Amino acid sequence: MKKIFLVICIILLLGTMILSLTGCGNNNQEEKSQEVQNQGEVSDQTETVQLNDELSDICGFAQEIQNNQYKIVGLKTNGEPINITSYGSTMYEALDYSSGSIYLQRENNFYSIDLTKGNSNYEVTKVFTYDMEYTSYYKQMGVYEGKIYFKEYEGPLLAYDISTGSTKTVIDTEEIVHFYINKINGKIYYTERNPGCNLKEYDITTEEIKEIDSASNEMIGSRRYYYNISLIVGNAKDIIYNKEEQENGTRTTKYYLYNIASGQKTELDSTFMSGIYVDEKLYYVATSGGDMMYPNYVLKVNSNGTDTVVMEEQENDFIDFYDLGNGKIQAVMSWGQDITTAGEQAYVIDKETLDIEKTNHRYSLVYLIQEPDKKILNIENTESEAIIMPD
């Protein structure tokens, strides 16, 4: 009996030791899994740009205009701006944001503002200067994965590598007219004249080019005339563009909404003049129609095919439609035939109620932060220099 009792005790002791060791193993495994998870979280955090504390609720950036004075501001989600620069006479022609820095273009000079240091004390730093034949023409610029994309008047699309300081031709065609970088899918949408006019898509990774639409041409006497296509505005999901077409023997301009995912093209209201498509709604200015040589304008919002007039017919046009990221859409009323009679007034449209009201903040070059903008690229450019912009 004593032997049997001793054997049972030994078996029970061994079982307890095995369970204890197994438990330790599980605990160690759980600790290792938690450690790996924590490392992953740290890794994710280090891959995300950390802006200055005062910019924690920033949703985008813009150039604010008042009395022919200009400054760069951050746009808060509550609708209030925060100053990045002070008012001055320097008007930038293009603005973008990427990986903790604002990028700006003025004539043939490109600048950046680092937003990760210097609360309320930001420096405009020159990144590079590109020798352009024409420096006063309308500019376009976009920053994606460490490269500044830009174009010269009547030239190809170029890319400046911020890290290496080198510039290369991206799309070598006779003339890039308009372009827009879709940072969500990594593609560039652009119109070209070569010599005809086409709307195309360029994949930055594969360098593949796809034609989306093209304009026709015709012989007028002994000369071939090419119709135009213009890219008006683009966002992550849709593009608005216009296209000259023949209709009943006359040339007319039609506007289209192009859905990037489906490739579907939808013709917009024939009275459409300009606008923006946001959250499945079209905010736009339309002519009052009819045969008038100078028709009046109507400010509308179209949702699911239904129009709502937000400002009644009047003789002043609207420009600069922007999503401000705070539940409002900006539209600027403009009037006057020359510099002596010109004027403007900014309005904001509430996305939910469609109420419209005047505002003291008039913005241009509005850019809202997107998910790819938050990634750290660890770019260092030793050639950059801090500058003081002239007033």
Side-chain angles (χ1 to χ4, degrees), residues 48-52 55-62 73-77 82 84 95-102 115 183-184 236 323-326 365-375:
T48 302
V49 176
Q50 298 297 315
L51 298 181
N52 290 335
L55 303 176
S56 60
D57 58 346
I58 290 296
C59 62
F61 305 94
V73 299
L75 301 176
K76 291 186 176 182
T77 52
I82 183 169
I84 304 297
L95 178 151
D96 203 354
Y97 169 81
S98 179
S99 305
S101 292
I102 296 172
L115 303 177
K183 299 182 183 182
I184 302 300
D323 182 0
L324 301 182
N326 59 356
L365 311 180
V366 177
Y367 179 82
L368 299 183
I369 298 173
Q370 302 179 66
E371 196 61 34
D373 295 315
K374 301 176 183 178
K375 182 180 178 182

Side-chain angles (χ1 to χ4, degrees), residues 228-290:
N228 290 321
I229 284 182
S230 295
L231 194 160
I232 307 300
V233 63
N235 57 41
K237 297 181 179 179
D238 305 276
I239 289 173
I240 294 177
Y241 70 98
N242 65 20
K243 176 182 173 182
E244 289 184 337
E245 298 177 356
Q246 277 196 23
E247 189 173 79
N248 300 323
T250 61
R251 186 173 76 248
T252 184
T253 300
K254 293 186 178 182
Y255 290 81
Y256 294 91
L257 179 69
Y258 173 74
N259 182 270
I260 293 172
S262 67
Q264 181 179 358
K265 305 166 193 172
T266 304
E267 184 177 346
L268 299 178
D269 179 354
S270 61
T271 63
F272 178 96
M273 297 296 291
S274 63
I276 187 173
Y277 189 71
V278 179
D279 300 333
E280 314 302 324
K281 292 181 181 178
L282 180 67
Y283 302 80
Y284 72 109
V285 59
T287 62
S288 56

